[in-house]
Amino acid sequence: RDNIERASFSPTHTKYKVYIIDEVHMLSKGAFNALLKILEEPPVHLKFILATTESHKVPETILSRCQRYDFKSITSEDLKQRLLYIAQVENISIDEESLAFIVKQANGWLRNAISLFEQLIYNDTISFENVIKNYWIPRTQVISDFYQKLLHKDVSLLDEYEQIISSYNLNLFFKELLFYIKDELIAHLSDEKLTQANIFILETLEEVYLKSKNSFDAKTTFLVWVIKCVKNISSQK
């Protein structure tokens, strides 16, 4: 309310007064009502920028008085090119595996990509060996072997589970598995049985991944998923 009251006065040095309200969906009902009053008849010098990732939580009375701009996620190729540009300007050496890892983890957000990029720099270099060492992530071959054993109901998978959780970051391991299976799904759409198995794994893995964040014991949560997944895949075949 204080900001809105001050906003009514004309600017002294610029043409417009611009107010940026970040995470606008977090405003209280009273705050939205106060904002609505000035949005209904805004002074010519006043501009509001309402930023949110959850527009469905913003009252319709507010949305109907706004010009809406939906920002899309940045493509993997654009993220890659931007990181390569930063590496060139800052004289940072980076290998392809590290670049692919950063782009994958960024999930379409440039801020996340740059933040991770900065964290991985060591002696003006980003190498995948250091990525593996610092983040405890598995190589593609490890993920591939795990996936194949999952499909073929290999009992040794359960015996190896303890080694997996002691050798790798558990959440990153299953996140990498999710990315790997997504690629396998797209690559083998002509194989109906394999496609059904991949879809089942992806759907249940995403559920258990989200569940693990609030679990008392994420290790057990993932272990139960592995057991259930193997049984269901086996029965489907």
Side-chain angles (χ1 to χ4, degrees), residues 79-98:
L79 280 174
K80 179 180 177 181
Q81 292 304 319
R82 186 61 183 174
L83 293 176
L84 286 173
Y85 169 77
I86 294 172
Q88 181 182 10
V89 171
E90 300 295 335
N91 292 317
I92 304 295
S93 173
I94 182 170
D95 55 38
E96 281 295 326
E97 286 182 297
S98 299

Side-chain angles (χ1 to χ4, degrees), residues 18-97:
V18 180
Y19 286 81
I20 302 174
I21 305 178
D22 195 17
E23 302 294 348
V24 70
H25 64 272
M26 298 291 289
L27 291 183
S28 66
K29 184 178 180 180
F32 273 128
N33 287 337
L35 182 61
L36 178 59
K37 289 180 181 179
I38 199 167
L39 288 182
E40 288 176 333
E41 295 182 9
V44 294
H45 66 266
L46 189 59
K47 304 291 182 183
F48 278 102
I49 298 176
L50 311 181
T52 179
T53 53
E54 301 184 57
S55 58
H56 60 281
K57 292 184 179 180
V58 179
E60 190 62 36
T61 50
I62 299 291
L63 289 176
S64 64
R65 289 167 171 80
C66 296
Q67 290 183 337
R68 178 165 174 165
Y69 301 91
D70 290 318
F71 294 166
K72 298 179 180 179
S73 296
I74 301 173
T75 66
S76 296
E77 183 60 28
D78 286 341
L79 280 174
K80 179 180 177 181
Q81 292 304 319
R82 186 61 183 174
L83 293 176
L84 286 173
Y85 169 77
I86 294 172
Q88 181 182 10
V89 171
E90 300 295 335
N91 292 317
I92 304 295
S93 173
I94 182 170
D95 55 38
E96 281 295 326
E97 286 182 297

